[in-house]
Each structure stands twice: as structure tokens, then as C-alpha cells.
Amino acid sequence: MEEGEGVKSSNQPDIRLSSPFSWRGENFPPILDSEAPDHLSRIRDLGIPYIFDIHTHFFPETVMKLIWRWFDNVNWAIGYRLPEKERVERLHHNGIKRFTTLNYAHKAGMASSLNDWTYDNYQNWEGAVPFGTFYPEEGVLAYVKQAVEEYKFQGFKLHCEVSKLNLNLPELAETFLYLLEKQIPILIHTGTAPLPGEFTGIQFFKPFLETYPKLKIIVAHMGAHEISAYASLLSNYPNLALDTTMVFVDFLATGKVEEVDAAVSYLETYQDQIYFGSDFPNIPYNLNHPITKVLDLPISDLAKQKILYQNAENLFFK
């Protein structure tokens, strides 16, 4: 595919037909933005000034292209395969005025340079809330402190599957205790969706949570494919939260239909501990789709307000 081209032209087959991941229903949602996304008037009617997306990715161009190559290999179409500046414009076009800068390291020596790159660039992305990352390696506490105290990062991202990361490693204890002291949130991909990893799953996450029960943690993808197991922890851990990334959409990489449908009730019950996330730009549909799916759910207007905007506002700017 050419740079900026999300799928093949209309007279060619949609590569999503060949995806190993299944879809709900027979029709794929649009992959390219409409001129006027219809969710914008709906969020205004709910009193939501803009959407806060807790789960958006920014990587150096060379790394992002390698990530896109992986998605190409599984026919995971990406409509937002655009230059960085245009991707930010797409977020704004869809009413997403605040968003995170998530990235992660898969080997030693990478995390610190990613943090430096984010610091050097995030102020060019209007609305960006800077997140760093870290890895179990020598000097990890020092560069995490730099990211918090010098760079003023407001959160961190970890990816247990890609990084082959065991959250319970003793060499990360000082770093977690430092972030606990500073009350800096960590967004963690610890679930087994779309693919399991050596250290993903509730069996690794639960002892970590028990060790740091007051750490501010956001579990990506609501912990799919074990959503109910992660949701069962919310009542006893008020600093624990989940994000909706790729859960309530027609693309079923994060769960079967019955699992996703069963998770809807958690959005009402735990409305103060749920954040909207999209996984932008690496999504096989346009941003209208995940936003509209949340708006269409049978939950209260108050829950929608909190999930799409207020909870994240309170986390970072209260």
C-alpha cells in the first residue's frame, strides 16, 4: 500500500476479507473519515465538549512503519496510515482534542530513546498528553525519574506481550514504587488479546496488583480475553481502571460476540473506572466507529460522559 492509503481502491477487494480475525455482522464499517462525522453532534447533545482518547500511539516513523508491516501480514487494514501531522488532524476532525502518546520498548536500550523522542516532539501535537515507557534494564529508575521530573510526562505505557514483560520482576520494584509515590498512572497491555504472550493474563497481573494495590493502573482492552476477571477486581481496587480500546466494535480481535456483549454492564457499574480508548492509528475502521459504538450502548448518558471525557479529564487535570 502507498503511504496514506488505508485500503485498496473501491474496485479492488477489501483486504479485511482475508483477516484471520473475525467481524460482527456482514458489513465492514467505513475505514476512511467522512467529511462531517455524525458522532460530533451526538457528543455535543450529551454536554461533552470533546473526546479524550486514553489509548493513541505515537512512534518514530521507522518504528511505526515496522509496526504497520506486522499488521499488513495479517491483513489488518489501517486507514490512518498517514504522516504524523495529518494523523493529529484526523484526531481533531473526530472531536478528539486530548489524547495520549503511547509507545513501548521491546528490547533493552530502547525505552529511554523513545522517551527522548516523545519529549522532543509531543508539543507539536496539539492536545497530546505525554506518556513515557520503560523496560527492565539498568538505569530504568533514573530515566523514569527524568521523564517525570524533567520532561513532565503524565503517564507511562507497558506492553506485556510485545515486550515479553513480567510485571512481577524485582528489578522493576523501585520504579513502580516511585510511580506510586508520584501517583503517575500506568496503562498496561496485560490481557491475552489479540494474541497471548509469555507473561500476559490475569495470573501475572493479579499478584502485581496485590503488590502495588494503590498504584494507578489502566488495563488496556479491558483485559480481553479475560474481561470479567479484570472487571471483578475493580470494586476492591479503586485506583484500577480499564479502557474500552477495541472492545465494543465490530472487529472481534479482542473477544467473541458473547464476551463483548456481557462486558457492557461493567460500563454502567464501574463508570468511574472506565476510559475510552481507540488504538489510533492502528485500527481497521475510522474513528467514528468506536465512538458511535459507545454512544449506542444501553448505558446512561452520565456513564457515556464519564467514559468519553470526564474520567480522563479528572485523572490528568483535576
Side-chain angles (χ1 to χ4, degrees), residues 112-129:
S112 180
S113 62
L114 283 172
N115 292 346
D116 294 342
W117 176 84
T118 300
Y119 176 67
D120 289 340
N121 290 278
Y122 85 89
Q123 294 181 54
N124 298 322
W125 313 325
E126 182 182 354
V129 177

Side-chain angles (χ1 to χ4, degrees), residues 52-55 185 187 216-222 238-248 267 270-278 294 303 306-316:
F52 199 136
D53 190 337
I54 201 81
H55 197 131
L187 196 156
K216 290 186 176 181
I217 302 168
I218 302 165
V219 173
H221 310 286
M222 295 185 74
N239 283 341
L240 176 65
L242 313 176
D243 79 31
T244 66
T245 303
M246 299 196 79
V247 177
F248 304 101
L267 303 190
Y270 303 108
Q271 59 187 262
D272 294 321
Q273 293 168 271
I274 308 288
Y275 298 88
F276 171 77
S278 69
V294 171
K306 290 179 178 179
I307 292 165
L308 289 168
Y309 164 70
Q310 196 62 59
N311 288 342
E313 282 286 310
N314 291 345
L315 179 63
F316 296 110

Side-chain angles (χ1 to χ4, degrees), residues 9 11 39 51 63 79 111 121 202 223 233 245 264 273:
S9 61
N11 63 346
H39 64 265
I51 293 168
V63 180
N121 290 278
I202 196 72
L233 301 170
T245 303
V264 173
Q273 293 168 271

Side-chain angles (χ1 to χ4, degrees), residues 47-74:
I48 299 173
Y50 52 80
I51 293 168
F52 199 136
D53 190 337
I54 201 81
H55 197 131
T56 61
H57 290 288
F58 287 80
F59 283 90
E61 183 179 6
T62 53
V63 180
M64 187 65 92
K65 286 183 176 180
L66 289 172
I67 292 170
W68 287 340
R69 184 181 301 173
W70 183 91
F71 285 114
D72 288 342
N73 289 334
V74 293

Side-chain angles (χ1 to χ4, degrees), residues 274-302:
I274 308 288
Y275 298 88
F276 171 77
S278 69
D279 230 347
F280 177 90
N282 303 323
I283 50 177
Y285 39 73
N286 68 18
L287 282 163
N288 175 260
H289 181 63
I291 297 168
T292 298
K293 282 294 185 178
V294 171
L295 291 170
D296 287 344
L297 291 174
I299 58 176
S300 66
D301 288 350
L302 180 59

Side-chain angles (χ1 to χ4, degrees), residues 24 227 247-248 256-266 297:
R24 182 195 293 257
I227 295 175
V247 177
F248 304 101
K256 298 178 181 178
V257 169
E258 57 270 20
E259 294 170 336
V260 172
D261 290 347
V264 173
S265 63
Y266 301 134
L297 291 174

